[in-house]
Amino acid sequence: MFTKTSWIKLPRNVVVGHDVLGEVRDVVADTHLRGRPLVVTSPTPHEVAAADIVAQYEAGGTDPAIVEVDTASFDAVERVIDAAEASDAAYLIGVGGGKAIDIAKMASDRCDLGFVSVPTAASHDGIVSGRGSVPEGDTRHSVAADPPVAVVADTGVLADAPWELTTAGCADIISNYTAVKDWRLANRLKNVEYSEYAAALAEMTAELLVESADSVRPGLEEAAWMVVKALVSSGVAMSIAGSSRPASGAEHLVSHQLDRIAPGKALHGHQVGVAAIVTEYLHSGERGDWRAVRDALDAIDAPTTAAGLGIDDELLLEALTTAHEIRDRYTILGNGLSEAAAREAVAKTGVI
Ligand SMILES: NC(=O)C1=CN([C@@H]2O[C@H](COP(=O)(O)OP(=O)(O)OC[C@H]3O[C@@H](n4cnc5c(N)ncnc54)[C@H](OP(=O)(O)O)[C@@H]3O)[C@@H](O)[C@H]2O)C=CC1
Ligand SMILES: O=C(CO)COP(=O)(O)O
Ligand SMILES: [Zn+2]
């Protein structure tokens, strides 16, 4: 008897374009969301975009509540839940990078309130995904959370953001190659549930971005457009999969471990990019595709070495050899990469 069920949750409105920040209130009005919003943001995105959104609501006679978060943590999620209850918020608007958006997404899921995603940086593929990702102690939780009801991505705001945020988003997409390889491996070796549609979408998204690398240049709004479309597409792949598997494999384990042992040194996307060079080497060997991954990162100005990340060589080696402990997710790292193998891989790929 066939007993499988698949429940794919996707946003209702995804609005991408020039000056769409000014349309947040109208985009929300086109959904079922009504009442007083709680704007969840972080310091820079507050100035860059959240203040404008608050002004839109005030001009329309609504006084939105606002809360700032400064770390991606469960404490921050609790603080936002308290703020939502105290302000009697009807829905949440996450304005910022991955941190603010994840926190808003997870808090709104817990409060059973709708959530709107307003990215101020094309730096990560959690913009539309139905996942929230937060560290806790020695582990990393990637939890299911309802995806945003609406997404408003202003390409002018994204193009004005520091260039390295955009290159981090590109690297997060390029890491789909190795993530999908890990997913297929886990499916073959551990019978992990696998979706060919989600895998194909994640890979195709990376492919299209790499093919367009020449047009991904600083300050170009068209580049912001291309990158944010790829981030949306990658987030949809995660929603189809019902997990972050299409976009998160061993390279993400290494990045999450770096967040623990070398916090705040480099952006999420840059860390997964450098780690992907190494995990691609582990998948396909010296003559394999690791050069293509490195060259793709290089072509969009993303770092390709530990030094480029500003991370000490020994710390990267520690992350590589301990990354398998971060969560129960089978990857090419198996039950752990030995120090000798890690040293060999970083030397062969020039990552160290
Ligand atoms: N849920 C999911 O599916 C996914 C989640 N993630 C998560 O997302 C996070 C990484 O996202 P990321 O965006 O790199 O991290 P942050 O949200 O920390 O943003 C990085 C930096 O960019 C700044 N910033 C954001 N927008 C602008 C702007 N327009 N101009 C100037 N500075 C700006 C932030 O400022 P400030 O310090 O003021 O906030 C911050 O310093 C990680 O926690 C990762 O786990 C990543 C991929 C997928
Ligand atoms: O960063 C992500 C995908 O790019 C989310 O994946 P995680 O589940 O590893 O947090
Ligand atoms: Zn990522």
Side-chain angles (χ1 to χ4, degrees), residues 152-167:
V152 181
D154 188 317
T155 47
V157 171
L158 302 175
D160 282 348
W163 175 234
E164 64 266 22
L165 291 171
T166 308
T167 65

Side-chain angles (χ1 to χ4, degrees), residues 34-40 62-67 79-93 111 113:
R34 297 287 178 271
R36 183 185 195 202
L38 169 67
V39 176
V40 181
T62 307
D63 172 28
I66 186 152
V67 60
R79 236 167 30 81
V80 171
I81 291 171
D82 290 348
E85 286 169 359
S87 59
D88 208 11
Y91 59 95
L92 273 61
I93 307 179
C111 301
L113 295 175

